[in-house]
């Protein structure tokens, strides 16, 4: 799964783009509220990749932490 933050200089370049200034942490959460996976990134991360192999197909919520606030995005994993 590729995630990128909006950057006025480069524009949106990945499959999932957030309106956050940077990406510090991403959590994949199942519909029942269980946290499936957590990935942490360093300050100044604008593009992040998570390995989602082993996660069952279905609908999930991504919680993306910017260092200041959380943003939620819904994703559907097909395979």
């Amino acid at each position: 799964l590729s995630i990128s933050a909006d950057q006025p200089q480069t524009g949106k370049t990945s499959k999932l783009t957030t309106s956050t200034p940077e990406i510090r942490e991403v959590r994949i959460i199942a519909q029942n509220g269980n946290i499936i996976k957590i990935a942490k990134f360093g300050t100044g991360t604008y593009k992040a990749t998570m390995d989602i192999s082993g996660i069952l197909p279905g609908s999930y919520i991504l919680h993306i932490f910017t260092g200041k606030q959380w943003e939620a995005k819904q994703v559907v994993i097909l395979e």
Side-chain angles (χ1 to χ4, degrees), residues 13-69:
T13 59
S14 77
K15 294 176 185 169
L16 177 66
T17 303
T18 79
S19 60
T20 63
E22 66 180 0
I23 301 164
R24 300 289 292 279
E25 182 175 322
V26 178
R27 295 179 181 183
I28 299 176
I29 301 173
Q31 293 296 318
N32 63 5
N34 290 339
I35 297 173
I36 304 299
K37 189 163 195 164
I38 297 174
K40 295 184 180 191
F41 305 96
T43 302
T45 301
Y46 302 100
K47 293 182 182 181
T49 303
M50 289 182 71
D51 179 10
I52 59 171
S53 61
I55 296 178
L56 297 174
S59 181
Y60 296 88
I61 303 296
L62 290 185
H63 282 180
I64 303 163
F65 185 60
T66 68
K68 294 181 182 179
Q69 64 184 14

